[in-house]
Amino acid sequence: MNIVVCVKQVPDTEAPIRIRGDGRGIEEGGLTFVPNYYDEHAVEEALRIKERLGGTVTLVTAGPGRAAEALRAGLAMGADQAIHVQDPALDAADHIVLARVLAAAIAPLSGDLILCGKLATDDNAAIVGPAIAEFLGLPQATAVTRLELGQGAAQVHREVEGAVEVLEVSLPAVITVERGINEARYPSLPGIMKAKRTPITVRTLADLGLGPGDLGPSRVELLGLTPPPRRQAGRILEGEPAAVVAELVRLLREEAKVL
Amino acid sequence: MSRDVWVLAEHAEGHPRRITFELLSRARALAEMLGGRVASLVLGNGAARLSRELGARGADVVYLADHPLLAQYTTDAYAAVIAPLIAREQPSLLLIGSTAAGRDLAPRLAARLRAGLATDCAAVDLDQGRVVVTRPMMTRKAIARVAFRNDGLRIAVVLPNVFAPGAPDAARTPQVVPVPVTLDASAVRTRVAGITPIARETVPLTEADIIVSGGRGLRGPENFALLDELATALGAAVGSSRPPVDSGWVPHDYEIGQTGKTVNPQLYIACGISGAPQHLAGMSGSRYIVAINKDPQAPIFSVASYGIVGDLFQILPLLTAEIRRLKAAQAG
Amino acid sequence: MEFDLSEEHRLVQATVREWATSRLLPLAAELDRTGRYPPELIRELGDLGLMGVFVPETYGGGGMDAVSYCIVMEEIARAEAGLSTIVSVNNSLACFPMFHFGTEAQKRKYLPDLARARTTGCYCLTEPTAGSDAASLRTTARESGDHWVLSGTKIFVTNGVEAGILIIYARTGGEGSRGISAFIAEKGDPGLSVGKVEHKLGIHASSTCEIVLQECRLPKDRLLGERDKGFQIAMATLDGGRIGIASQALGIARAAMEDAIAYAKERRQFGRPIAEFQAIQWKIADMATRIQAGRLLTYRAAWVRDQGRGHTREASIAKLFASETAMWAATQAVQIFGGYGYIQDYPAERHLRDAKITEIYEGTSEVQRMVIARHVLGTA
C-alpha cells in the first residue's frame, strides 16, 4: 500500500509563548518546535500498515525551513520518503489554501490512503485534512480511533457525541486520526541515521504547477492575538472540612448562582 | 449575498441538539444587526417535525432536506445537499456547531465552496461590516481575533456552551422550504455500519452545564465512584484530566484538555487535578471553577474561583451530602 | 567553531529524553529502592539502538558517533543512574573492545546480540589486590591444548550478574602491563561462575559482583586481539568509557539541579519561595555553570575521539571534572532540600548516593589526575 502522511511542525505545547508586539503572531525566537502530536500517531499507523502489507510511506509537509524537522522525525520512525513544499507565497495562506497546495503535492503520489493527525496543536483548526480530501475528490473519515483495512475499503471507529460510530470508507480515502488509535514508536538510532541520509524532496508552488493566481485568496485573516482573559483571582476557603464545604455550597448558590 | 444568517441544525432522537439552540440564539442577534433573517438547515429522514422547535428557538425559515440517505450523517451526502443550496442562496454567514459531524463537514464545505472558515469559535461578532470571530490558540495561551473577507461565503464552527439558548417562543412558526434531494447511493462513499452508545448516564461533556472532573489525586479507578456520586447529586457530567486516561483508569472519552475535549460549563469542579497547562486548555473557559487539591501550590488554584486545600477523600463525601441536602430543600 | 548540536543530535536528544522521561523516570525511585534489574527497559533500549550506540548498523548497532553517545548517556542518567551504568558498560566496555579488537568472526558472533541487548556484556579487570594498579592483576590464562584455561577472581564487575558475555583480562606473560591478554567468555563456559553480589551505596539497579574463574576453559578463538596486548585494549576501552561516565555524571548533576530548582520554586519560607533567596540562587548558578563547563569538556573529548585522534587526556579531564561536579551538585541539592534532602521520599539523597561512584569507577579521580599530569608534563 502506498500511504501518504501529512505532518506539521508546531511549537512545543509545554513552553510558554510570547505574543509579538504587533499582536500578529507569536515570538518564534527561543521556541522549541516539535512534530505535531497527532501526526506522530498518523505516521505510526502508516508504519504499522506498511509492516503488515508492504508498500511505502511518504511524508508531506508545507512550511518554512524548520518544517523539515517534522519530516526527519517521521523518517527516523521508519517512513521511506519525504516531500517539503516550501514557498514564500505560503506565508499568508489560510488553511483552505494550504490544503489546496498539499493536495497538489499529494495527487501525483497515487496514495491508497492519506493519513493526517486530526488537528495541529498550535491552532486546533482541524481543517486541512478534510479540505485535502475535497481537493483530491476522495472520501474522508475524521478523528478515527481505530482503522482496519479490508478489500477496497477501511472500517474505522469514530467517537461521536456519547457514542462510537463504526464507519466503512471506500479507499482511497483521507483519514484523520485521533489519539488512542495506537502508541507511537520512538525513533531508533539507526532510524535517525537513515533519516539523515534520506534526501528530502523540496517543491515550490511552481514545481507543483501552481501559479500565485491558482490558489485563490485567503479568506480569513488574523487581526490580532491577545493573552487569554485573566481570570478573577479566586478565593481559597479555609477551615474544618464540614464548614468549608457548607461555605462552598453557599457561595455557589448565592454568589455564583450555579446551584 | 443575502443578509441571512444560517444555522446547520443537528438533531438526535427527534429533537434538535442543544448546540443548535445556542447557535440560533446568536444567529437571531446577528441577523438583526444585518437586517436579515435566520434560517435553519436541517437534514434527515423524517425530520419535518423538527421545524416547530427550530422555529420556536429563532428560525424564520427552515430549509428541510428529507431523504433516506440523510438518516445518518455522512460527509458525501450532507455536502452534496448543502453545498449547492448554500451556493445558490448565498447566506451572509453559516454557523455550524463544533460536533463530530460539524467538524467533519465544515472544512469539506469550505473547500468545495472556497468559503472562509474559522473553527473553535468562542465569539461571533460584526465589526465595521466584517464578521469577526475569536478563537483560542496555542493550548489556550492566546486568543485570536479572526476576520472573514467580505466577498465570498463565511462558515464559523462554534464551540458549545458559548452562547445561551434563547427561550422558546411557541408562537413563532417558521416558513418551511423543502429542499429537493437527488442523491445516488453510489455517490455516498461512506456507510455507517453501527453506532454503539458509550454507556454513560450523563449528558455529553461538551454539552454539560456542570462537570465534576478527577485527576491523578484520585489515586485509582475505583475512586471515580466518589465523583460519580457527586455528579449524580449535581446532575453533572464526569470528566478527567489526562493522567487517569493514560493510566487506564477511565476511557479516553473522559479526557478534558489539549488532547481531549474542550468544555465550557457553568461550573467545573476539579478534584485532585494539579492544573497543568494542557488541562487548563480544555476547561479554563468554564464560568466558575472549583478546585479541591491537597497541594496549596497546585497551579489549578490560580484559575479557580473557589479553592479548597484539603483531602478530597474527606471533602467529596461531605460535598455530596451537602448538595443532596440542598436539592432536597429546593425540591420540597 | 560550531557549538550547536546538529539536527541529528537534537533528534537523538529529543528522542532519548522523551523515552527516559516517560519510561524510566517514573520507575527511578522504585529501581533504587528494590535494586531491580529492568529487563523490559533494556530490551527497549536495545531495540532503539542505544545499547550499541557506535556499533555500525551492519552489526545491529546505532551507527552513531561519540557525541551521540554522550547525549544518550546524559539523558538516561538524568532519569535514573543505575540503568545508565548498565548502558555505559554495555556500550563502552563490551561493544567497543569487541568491535575494535575482535576478529570478523567474533564480531559477527557477539556484536549483534550485544548491540541489540539480546544479551548484555561486562568487563572483568579489577581484582581484590589490583584496583587502581590494574596492571598488577593476578588472574592467569595458560594454554592447554587448543584451549585457554583461566583461573582467578575478578571483583566489582558491573552487569556481572545478568551479562551473557564477559571481557576478561588475564595474565598470559610476564609481570606488569605487558603480560596481559583479553579474552571473551560466555556465561556457561565451564569453570566460570558468579560469586558474591555486592550491595552498594547507589546505582542499585546495576548489579556488581564477583566473577570466579576456576580452571575456566575457553576455546582458543576466544582470545580478543593479540596475545599480551590486552592491557592496551583495557586502556583504550577506558578512554571511551570515561567519556560515557562523564556524561553519566552530568546527567546525575542535572537531575540534582533540576530537582532542586523545582523544589526551591515551591518551597515557601519567610513568606516567599526559597528560590528568591540569594543563597539558593547562587548555589543554582554555580551548579548550572559547572554542569555547562562539564558538558563542554565532555563534548570536546567526544569530538576529538570522533576525529580519530588520541583523546586520553581529554577523556580524563572530562571524567574528572564532571564526576566531581556531580558529587558537588548533588550535595548542594540535598542542602537546598534542607531536611527533606535527607528523607528517602525525595530524590535528592538518591542523586548524592548515585553521584559518588562516578568519582571512583573507570579510574578514580586520583588516577585521572595521574593520567592528566603525565600528559601535561610530557611524561605520558
Side-chain angles (χ1 to χ4, degrees):
Chain A
M1 267 201 111
N2 288 343
I3 309 168
V4 179
V5 186
C6 295
V7 299
K8 185 179 183 186
Q9 186 81 334
V10 296
D12 188 351
T13 56
E14 298 266 336
I17 55 152
R18 280 188 337 271
I19 297 173
R20 268 180 12 212
D22 64 1
R24 292 304 196 108
I26 59 172
E27 298 276 5
E28 294 211 350
L31 271 185
T32 320
F33 285 88
V34 297
N36 177 38
Y37 170 75
Y38 290 94
D39 296 344
E40 291 181 326
H41 290 292
V43 174
E44 174 65 28
E45 198 64 18
L47 292 172
R48 290 186 187 199
I49 295 171
K50 171 182 137 169
E51 280 159 7
R52 271 198 333 265
L53 303 174
T56 52
V57 176
T58 305
L59 309 173
V60 180
T61 198
R66 57 171 163 75
E69 288 181 31
L71 295 173
R72 291 259 176 249
L75 288 169
M77 282 170 72
D80 304 293
Q81 293 164 172
I83 297 174
H84 183 176
V85 180
Q86 214 175 339
D87 197 299
L90 292 177
D91 289 348
D94 69 10
H95 293 89
I96 301 294
V97 171
L98 206 57
R100 177 92 176 72
V101 171
L102 287 166
I106 294 170
L109 301 173
S110 308
D112 300 303
L113 180 62
I114 294 133
L115 297 178
C116 310
K118 78 164 184 183
L119 55 80
T121 55
D122 53 356
D123 58 21
N124 274 36
I127 293 175
V128 168
I132 289 177
E134 174 65 17
F135 288 124
L136 291 175
L138 294 178
Q140 74 188 45
T142 51
V144 159
T145 52
R146 201 163 130 179
L147 170 58
E148 270 160 36
L149 293 174
Q151 281 287 61
Q155 194 182 80
V156 302
H157 286 207
R158 304 174 61 227
E159 261 169 45
V160 300
E161 281 62 38
V164 174
E165 177 188 88
V166 178
L167 190 70
E168 278 163 22
V169 191
S170 67
L171 295 176
V174 174
I175 295 182
T176 77
V177 307
E178 167 67 282
R179 94 174 189 107
I181 188 172
N182 58 42
E183 271 214 39
R185 68 194 65 184
Y186 294 96
S188 68
L189 290 198
I192 294 173
M193 284 311 291
K194 178 164 167 264
K196 179 175 165 172
R197 291 190 300 264
T198 307
I200 292 179
T201 310
V202 179
R203 293 251 175 279
T204 60
L205 291 188
D207 293 328
L208 298 177
L210 290 171
D214 294 319
L215 298 182
S218 290
R219 296 191 172 276
V220 288
E221 182 198 333
L222 175 66
L223 295 180
L225 284 179
T226 49
R230 295 218 61 106
R231 290 188 67 94
Q232 281 250 354
R235 237 185 291 186
I236 306 279
L237 307 177
E238 294 181 312
E240 288 298 305
V244 159
V245 163
E247 177 65 2
L248 173 66
V249 173
R250 188 189 70 77
L251 288 166
L252 288 176
R253 209 182 77 234
E254 291 172 17
E255 204 175 76
K257 301 204 212 305
V258 288
L259 288 181
Chain B
M1 189 188 299
S2 79
R3 297 171 194 271
D4 294 343
V5 178
W6 285 32
V7 172
L8 176 62
E10 277 201 54
H11 51 97
E13 285 155 28
H15 293 281
R17 282 193 190 280
R18 182 178 148 150
I19 191 166
T20 301
F21 297 154
E22 294 169 9
L23 300 192
L24 282 171
S25 163
R26 188 61 187 153
R28 277 240 64 79
L30 292 168
E32 260 175 52
M33 288 187 241
L34 288 167
R37 300 171 308 166
V38 173
S40 186
L41 175 51
V42 61
L43 287 74
N45 194 28
R49 58 200 164 135
L50 296 161
S51 315
R52 268 223 116 104
E53 274 186 88
L54 293 170
R57 294 284 188 159
D60 299 308
V61 181
V62 172
Y63 288 95
L64 175 62
D66 233 19
H67 192 284
L69 279 173
L70 299 174
Q72 275 150 343
Y73 170 78
T74 55
T75 320
D76 285 339
Y78 276 51
V81 170
I82 297 173
L85 178 63
I86 301 267
R88 202 173 59 238
E89 301 295 326
Q90 301 257 318
S92 179
L93 175 62
L94 171 62
L95 299 178
I96 297 179
S98 184
T99 59
R103 289 188 295 267
D104 183 278
L105 179 65
R108 194 98 199 195
L109 287 177
R112 187 168 300 183
L113 299 167
R114 305 314 286 273
L117 171 61
T119 58
D120 272 15
C121 298
V124 182
D125 295 298
L126 293 169
D127 186 3
Q128 297 174 331
R130 298 177 86 174
V131 175
V132 174
V133 301
T134 65
R135 60 183 309 281
M137 280 183 59
M138 318 267 354
T139 330
R140 262 186 196 267
K141 291 176 218 165
I143 307 291
R145 254 173 74 84
V146 173
F148 288 86
R149 271 174 74 111
N150 273 344
D151 59 340
L153 296 157
R154 299 175 282 213
I155 304 176
V157 179
V158 181
L159 292 169
N161 275 2
V162 163
F163 300 114
D169 176 2
R172 158 185 255 121
T173 44
Q175 174 199 1
V176 178
V177 177
V179 177
V181 176
T182 49
L183 262 182
D184 196 61
S186 63
V188 181
R189 298 166 294 181
T190 60
R191 188 181 80 83
V192 178
I195 296 193
T196 316
I198 298 173
R200 309 262 319 263
E201 283 137 54
T202 57
V203 173
L205 281 170
T206 48
E207 297 176 22
D209 270 333
I210 305 179
I211 295 175
V212 177
S213 189
R216 209 194 294 268
L218 282 180
R219 292 200 213 135
E222 63 280 6
N223 295 322
F224 267 80
L226 288 170
L227 298 190
D228 289 336
E229 289 200 24
L230 177 57
T232 305
L234 282 167
V238 179
S240 81
S241 61
R242 183 167 165 169
V245 172
D246 282 347
S247 300
W249 299 350
V250 289
H252 173 241
D253 66 299
Y254 273 66
E255 187 180 333
I256 293 168
Q258 174 61 43
T259 50
K261 298 188 175 69
T262 304
V263 297
N264 287 22
Q266 291 296 301
L267 175 61
Y268 188 92
I269 303 179
C271 310
I273 292 177
S274 63
Q278 286 83 355
H279 183 65
L280 297 186
M283 45 64 77
S284 62
S286 309
R287 183 114 188 277
Y288 291 96
I289 296 174
V290 171
I292 304 171
N293 195 304
K294 69 175 198 263
D295 177 8
Q297 309 292 340
I300 191 83
F301 287 115
S302 66
V303 297
S305 325
Y306 308 108
I308 296 180
V309 178
D311 180 355
L312 61 88
F313 294 101
Q314 268 196 317
I315 303 284
L316 283 176
L318 289 171
L319 183 56
T320 303
E322 188 71 18
I323 297 288
R324 284 188 188 137
R325 257 198 297 281
L326 174 70
K327 294 289 179 183
Q330 285 175 339
Chain C
M1 197 176 285
E2 178 73 54
F3 282 84
D4 287 335
L5 291 177
S6 71
E7 202 188 312
E8 296 78 56
H9 287 144
R10 275 184 284 121
L11 188 48
V12 171
Q13 188 181 58
T15 303
V16 184
R17 184 173 297 185
E18 164 92 32
W19 181 90
T21 309
S22 60
R23 297 291 291 137
L24 178 57
L25 187 58
L27 299 178
E30 179 234 322
L31 289 174
D32 172 63
R33 211 175 44 245
T34 62
R36 177 175 79 86
Y37 173 84
E40 72 284 8
L41 296 182
I42 300 291
R43 187 58 174 243
E44 283 177 40
L45 288 173
D47 288 340
L48 293 177
L50 300 179
M51 291 295 269
V53 172
F54 40 73
V55 173
E57 287 170 62
T58 44
Y59 294 106
M64 298 206 109
D65 58 9
V67 173
S68 304
Y69 181 50
C70 292
I71 293 169
V72 168
M73 281 298 302
E74 187 183 325
E75 293 305 324
I76 295 178
R78 190 275 172 252
E80 200 276 318
L83 196 69
S84 73
T85 302
I86 299 171
V87 173
S88 152
V89 167
N90 202 69
N91 269 283
S92 295
L93 307 187
C95 284
F96 173 81
M98 189 72 75
F99 177 66
H100 274 272
F101 300 98
T103 62
E104 192 55 39
Q106 287 168 335
K107 288 196 270 203
R108 291 240 189 81
K109 183 173 180 195
Y110 295 111
L111 271 180
D113 282 348
L114 277 175
R116 307 220 42 214
R118 294 304 173 259
T119 183
T120 51
C122 66
Y123 175 91
C124 307
L125 178 66
T126 304
E127 296 177 6
T129 57
S132 292
D133 182 11
S136 71
L137 64 83
R138 294 197 203 158
T139 299
T140 54
R142 64 165 211 285
E143 289 179 82
S144 168
D146 55 359
H147 277 75
W148 291 98
V149 180
L150 275 63
S151 287
T153 306
K154 295 294 185 183
I155 60 167
F156 297 166
V157 177
T158 304
N159 289 358
V161 173
E162 300 84 13
I165 295 168
L166 307 90
I167 312 280
I168 304 183
Y169 296 86
R171 190 164 300 287
T172 46
E175 293 277 304
S177 60
R178 281 179 230 225
I180 293 172
S181 301
F183 296 91
I184 304 167
E186 300 174 30
K187 285 281 179 69
D189 283 335
L192 188 154
S193 58
V194 173
K196 175 167 186 264
V197 178
E198 307 291 359
H199 297 282
K200 307 185 296 294
L201 178 62
I203 55 166
H204 290 142
S206 159
S207 69
T208 307
C209 66
E210 242 181 16
I211 295 290
V212 180
L213 303 154
Q214 288 171 310
E215 302 282 301
C216 169
R217 297 181 73 79
L218 302 179
K220 268 297 176 66
D221 65 0
R222 298 290 198 84
L223 178 68
L224 179 64
E226 285 179 54
R227 184 188 173 136
D228 293 344
K229 294 283 173 69
F231 201 69
Q232 271 117 296
I233 297 177
M235 293 302 107
T237 297
L238 284 177
D239 283 346
R242 283 163 188 172
I243 295 176
I245 299 306
S247 302
Q248 175 187 44
L250 292 172
I252 296 170
R254 206 177 96 211
M257 179 180 74
E258 289 174 1
D259 289 347
I261 289 172
Y263 178 79
K265 283 185 177 173
E266 287 194 16
R267 171 72 174 174
R268 296 178 76 89
Q269 287 288 273
F270 308 110
R272 306 195 255 160
I274 63 173
E276 288 182 19
F277 293 118
Q278 194 173 67
I280 303 297
Q281 289 175 350
W282 283 13
K283 286 186 199 297
I284 290 171
D286 285 342
M287 280 197 242
T289 303
R290 292 185 201 196
I291 290 170
Q292 176 78 283
R295 193 175 291 124
L296 287 167
L297 287 173
T298 307
Y299 281 1
R300 175 140 200 286
W303 180 84
V304 175
R305 181 184 174 90
D306 284 336
Q307 304 304 305
R309 295 176 358 214
H311 51 285
T312 305
R313 177 177 65 174
E314 285 78 6
S316 280
I317 286 176
K319 198 265 193 189
L320 173 65
F321 189 87
S323 58
E324 292 191 340
T325 294
M327 195 58 199
W328 178 85
T331 311
Q332 295 302 305
V334 169
Q335 199 67 17
I336 289 173
F337 272 78
Y340 294 107
Y342 211 68
I343 305 291
Q344 288 186 327
D345 291 345
Y346 292 80
E349 60 85 33
R350 182 180 92 235
H351 299 323
L352 187 53
R353 287 187 287 105
D354 288 340
K356 188 58 192 163
I357 191 60
T358 65
E359 291 184 305
I360 297 171
Y361 64 7
E362 300 208 26
T364 59
S365 297
E366 290 72 20
V367 164
Q368 304 308 330
R369 287 186 161 91
M370 261 166 52
V371 170
I372 297 165
R374 276 195 211 131
H375 278 266
V376 172
L377 290 169
T379 54

